[in-house]
Amino acid sequence: MESGQDLIVCEHCDTVYRREPLTRGQVSTCLECGAVLERHQWIGLDGQFALILAAFIVFVIANCTPIVSLGFSGMQSATTLWGAVIAMWNDSSQVVAVLTAMTLFFFPLTQILIFGWVLWFARDGIRAPGFAPAMIALYYVKPWSMIEVFMLGVLVAVVKASSYFEVVPGPGVWAFAVLTILITIFASHDSRELWNVTRDTSE
Amino acid sequence: MSALPRAHDLGIIGCHVCRQVSLETKKAHARCPRCGAPLHRRKRDSLTRTWALLIAALLLYLPANIFPIMRTQSLFSKDDNTILSGVIELWRAGSPDLAIIVFTASIVVPVLKFLVMGFLLISVQRSSQWGARQRARLFRLVEVIGYWSMLDVFVVALLSALVHFQVLSRVEPLPGVIFFGMVVVLTMLSAMSFDPRLIWDNRESDD
């Protein structure tokens, strides 16, 4: 039998293909169901690590600085992401508080930290300690990270508030915008490719 | 029948976590030789789980839309908004573009998810031959757009944190938003439980 790395199975319909090397910008799709099989990985490992490092810094800024502040007859009110989580918790919407904290803080942070960890080692072609569980965790966390949706939510909230209040965007909103862009660039990469560009050194 | 080979027919199985292709074994709890994640030829009890989560979501969808999600309070007035009335208000406030975005995320997307998932489940159960490619595309659409419904939940969270001007002006979350958040999570779980490979399985001549 051929080695497993030469073959690729479409996740959506189970059709088997032999892998072809892709050139820049190329995407291979399944002939049967049309799903994407593989994308060309256009950013190298160093570049990906740099992106994650940038994302981490921006993530810290996004969480520590106010997103927007409102002015209303001389009073000021500003909130961070955690301010929103705490407000929901105190207003008897604990389910929403937990959901918000998970999808906008814990899951994105988990993704950034795990990616940073595995990419740091992958740059030398090595699988980081705990590589397998880390990659499994990434796979399951991925759909639950919702920074992009939050970004749009900020926009809607600002527009809704602006008919009654004076709205001043804070540094947090720019940080979230940059984070959205970084995540979008990064999401065009299939992290599972890391399995093929690293080797197991534990044996 | 197409000429393209399918993994199950070749006796191999692709790991969905790391994409490693390995030989299918008879063992009940086979694991991927490379990453150690459990291997399934098809997701376990896919149809039952997808149905259960979808029905649960549908039940919660009613209170999510009937109950208001947010209260805007000022000195002289109290205004409770449901998801739909929030959209209308946004439209009247002079932002029809944003109103359309919110309408799409909060109303079109969930309804589309219910319809598409229900349709996929029924068509798989009836071993439908019709338009497998189109159905596969519908499923991918649901997967991609699913989480955008959280939009309204985040808007309510932000406004509740921001608009806190003592008695003069306050925004509070109301129970509708809790139901709505749960609907989004349940429909996402439902879509994740569905195994799109089932769409193609039934087309084959009997196993």
Side-chain angles (χ1 to χ4, degrees):
Chain A
M1 185 183 151
E2 304 181 54
S3 113
Q5 289 194 11
D6 298 333
L7 296 176
I8 190 161
V9 177
C10 173
E11 296 171 283
H12 286 255
C13 70
D14 224 18
T15 308
V16 183
Y17 297 90
R18 192 162 287 124
R19 287 179 86 158
E20 299 287 342
L22 300 174
T23 57
R24 198 181 172 87
Q26 257 188 339
V27 178
S28 61
T29 50
C30 175
L31 294 172
E32 192 81 70
C33 74
V36 171
L37 284 174
E38 257 192 306
R39 285 174 201 282
H40 175 67
Q41 310 276 306
W42 58 287
I43 302 175
L45 292 172
D46 284 327
Q48 289 185 40
F49 184 75
L51 271 178
I52 281 297
L53 193 63
F56 179 73
I57 295 166
V58 175
F59 184 82
V60 172
I61 299 172
N63 277 285
C64 296
T65 56
I67 301 167
V68 269
S69 55
L70 297 188
F72 180 63
S73 46
M75 289 182 281
Q76 280 284 323
S77 160
T79 190
T80 58
L81 174 61
W82 276 95
V85 172
I86 292 164
M88 291 309 262
W89 185 274
N90 292 337
D91 273 328
S92 61
S93 303
Q94 288 85 353
V95 177
V96 177
V98 171
L99 217 55
T100 312
M102 286 301 187
T103 55
L104 300 177
F105 184 82
F106 288 110
F107 292 150
L109 182 62
T110 309
Q111 277 186 304
I112 291 173
L113 292 180
I114 293 182
F115 265 127
W117 174 251
V118 294
L119 280 168
W120 174 260
F121 287 90
R123 286 160 64 238
D124 299 325
I126 299 168
R127 287 184 189 162
F131 186 77
M135 295 301 286
I136 295 174
L138 274 185
Y139 175 81
Y140 286 107
V141 163
K142 194 178 181 197
W144 298 102
S145 164
M146 306 190 181
I147 300 277
E148 311 91 294
V149 183
F150 183 68
M151 191 58 224
L152 190 58
V154 172
L155 196 65
V156 174
V158 163
V159 171
K160 281 197 170 185
S162 65
S163 36
Y164 306 99
F165 310 99
E166 192 188 314
V167 181
V168 185
V173 76
W174 302 111
F176 270 109
V178 174
L179 198 54
T180 305
I181 296 169
L182 290 176
I183 286 175
T184 311
I185 299 173
F186 202 80
S188 66
H189 277 253
D190 194 337
S191 58
R192 294 173 293 193
E193 188 55 28
L194 286 174
W195 281 100
N196 297 333
V197 296
T198 54
R199 59 184 190 283
D200 197 355
T201 47
S202 64
E203 283 161 23
Chain B
M1 274 298 292
S2 77
L4 294 168
R6 300 190 68 212
H8 178 56
D9 302 330
L10 300 179
I12 56 178
I13 189 164
C15 172
H16 57 290
V17 173
C18 76
R19 303 211 94 170
Q20 170 76 26
V21 178
S22 55
L23 288 170
E24 208 174 310
T25 57
K26 290 275 182 287
K27 273 190 292 177
H29 297 287
R31 286 182 174 276
C32 170
R34 184 160 73 169
C35 74
L39 288 176
H40 309 292
R41 193 179 80 75
R42 296 292 177 264
K43 288 179 189 167
R44 254 187 307 136
D45 306 323
S46 172
L47 295 178
T48 324
R49 285 184 193 194
T50 311
W51 266 125
L53 291 162
L54 192 68
I55 291 168
L58 196 59
L59 290 177
L60 291 178
Y61 189 62
L62 295 176
N65 278 280
I66 295 167
F67 290 140
I69 58 168
M70 186 172 94
R71 168 170 296 167
T72 316
Q73 210 162 10
S74 66
L75 262 187
F76 309 105
S77 69
K78 196 163 81 176
D79 190 13
D80 288 359
N81 266 318
T82 60
I83 289 172
L84 192 61
S85 73
V87 174
I88 296 168
E89 193 170 86
L90 202 54
W91 181 283
R92 288 211 185 115
S95 315
D97 36 6
L98 271 186
I100 290 168
I101 292 177
V102 177
F103 180 77
T104 310
S106 310
I107 293 175
V108 177
V109 170
V111 170
L112 200 68
K113 275 201 281 191
F114 288 124
L115 293 178
V116 168
M117 291 313 296
F119 167 65
L120 289 175
L121 283 164
I122 291 168
S123 70
V124 164
Q125 280 173 332
R126 304 177 81 191
S127 307
S128 167
Q129 305 284 314
W130 180 84
R133 216 181 147 89
Q134 278 78 356
R135 284 187 284 148
R137 193 171 296 156
L138 276 178
F139 177 70
R140 290 200 296 274
L141 177 75
V142 165
E143 263 196 326
V144 172
I145 60 175
Y147 72 135
W148 284 95
S149 312
M150 280 301 258
L151 183 65
D152 248 352
V153 176
F154 295 151
V155 172
V156 172
L158 268 171
L159 287 177
S160 309
L162 275 173
V163 186
H164 252 275
F165 297 107
Q166 290 129 39
V167 290
L168 293 176
S169 188
R170 253 181 75 73
V171 167
E172 286 170 58
L174 291 175
V177 75
I178 302 174
F179 289 111
F180 195 74
M182 292 199 286
V183 169
V184 180
V185 171
L186 286 171
T187 50
M188 282 178 70
L189 288 172
S190 170
M192 286 174 197
S193 315
F194 184 75
D195 195 327
R197 291 170 292 193
L198 295 172
I199 297 174
W200 304 87
D201 285 347
N202 295 326
R203 287 152 40 93
E204 290 169 343
S205 52
D206 20 0
D207 243 50

